[in-house]
Amino acid sequence: MLPRLPATVPHLPTRTDEGLRAALERLGKGYQGWAAFWVADLRTGRSAGWNSDARFPAASLVKLGVLAEGIRRFGYGPRSPIDYDLRQLGSWSSNLAANRIVALVGGESAVSGALERLGMWSSTYPGPYRVGTSAGASPEDAPKPPPLQTWRTTTARDLGRAFVRLQAAAAGERWAISKLGLDRNGARAALGYLALAWRGSSLLELPPGTPVAEKDGWTSDVRGSAAIAYLPSGPRVVVVLVHRPGISAGEARRLGEQVSRLALG
């Protein structure tokens, strides 16, 4: 059985929390590297970000598209022929599992379509950035984009938008179900697979026992975490991306913990 997470109807992020935005900006500008943050309280609809439209190397974070497309094509749970690979993808982000699912769904173009349905318009899997997929981005919210030496890219806002859509579909919101191409149970399953994530790779600091659906990604120069944390006060989305040559897990986690305290406190 997959973990069952609260199917709370999210309040869409429609209001900027200026105090939180300013605090995130101070953190980002004070970091000796590149960072991006996006957070949203899905109970109140208040959100904030810094550098959230800057494209970062994606590492494994764009495997969200693989997960969603795999479920859309082949279902979920014990009866799905890809259940094992979905679990491996959700729990420890297996490259092999991702590659097998990509081949079964028809290749990278199918995953690119899934990323668009998730609202990840500035993300790629893999390939060059596609003209016209950055609709809705705010240039003023990308003051510090890092150098890119990869075809796999994403943004903090893209990742946050994907989790909002998954939560909305899991709660039965028709607009989200229509956009994702996943029914309510399929979206709940996607969040359930993401709830299997190994917490040792997370940059986020959560209260003990907090249910969470999360996707992490890392390379030698990049660390990132995107999640919905289901707090007693309601679900909150937190995204942290950090990039610096030779970055350590501890360094990235210290920044992620600071963002977590701002976002979840």
Side-chain angles (χ1 to χ4, degrees), residues 222-239:
V222 177
R223 298 272 171 171
S225 290
I228 299 182
Y230 295 89
L231 303 177
S233 59
R236 300 196 192 179
V237 176
V238 186
V239 182

Side-chain angles (χ1 to χ4, degrees), residues 10-100:
H11 188 312
L12 297 184
T14 53
R15 295 181 293 162
T16 299
D17 184 326
E18 290 294 344
L20 179 55
R21 186 207 59 77
L24 294 173
E25 180 180 2
R26 287 192 293 271
L27 273 184
K29 287 184 174 180
Y31 178 66
Q32 299 302 306
W34 294 270
F37 319 122
W38 192 84
V39 302
D41 185 330
L42 300 188
R43 181 182 65 83
T44 65
R46 299 186 72 83
S47 66
W50 184 78
N51 211 25
S52 57
D53 293 320
R55 287 185 294 135
F56 273 64
S60 292
L61 292 161
V62 287
K63 290 175 184 173
L64 284 173
V66 180
L67 181 78
E69 185 65 5
I71 293 172
R72 191 175 78 90
R73 298 285 189 97
F74 296 102
Y76 54 87
R79 295 184 179 181
S80 170
I82 63 169
D83 179 56
Y84 173 81
D85 283 336
L86 291 171
R87 288 177 177 275
Q88 296 301 300
L89 189 62
S91 58
W92 61 281
S93 201
S94 166
N95 287 336
L96 183 58
N99 291 342
R100 284 196 292 251

Side-chain angles (χ1 to χ4, degrees), residues 152-192:
R152 295 180 191 268
T153 62
T154 195
T155 72
R157 192 188 301 273
D158 270 16
L159 291 161
R161 189 185 293 116
F163 274 95
V164 172
R165 287 192 176 189
L166 285 169
Q167 181 64 29
E173 295 288 270
R174 291 182 179 178
W175 69 266
I177 289 170
S178 175
K179 287 182 180 295
L180 286 178
L182 293 176
D183 64 14
R184 183 176 187 173
N185 289 329
R188 287 183 175 183
L191 293 171

Side-chain angles (χ1 to χ4, degrees), residues 185-209:
N185 289 329
R188 287 183 175 183
L191 293 171
Y193 285 114
L194 293 169
L196 300 174
W198 176 55
R199 293 286 302 145
S201 62
S202 178
L203 304 184
L204 309 179
E205 181 181 71
L206 306 178

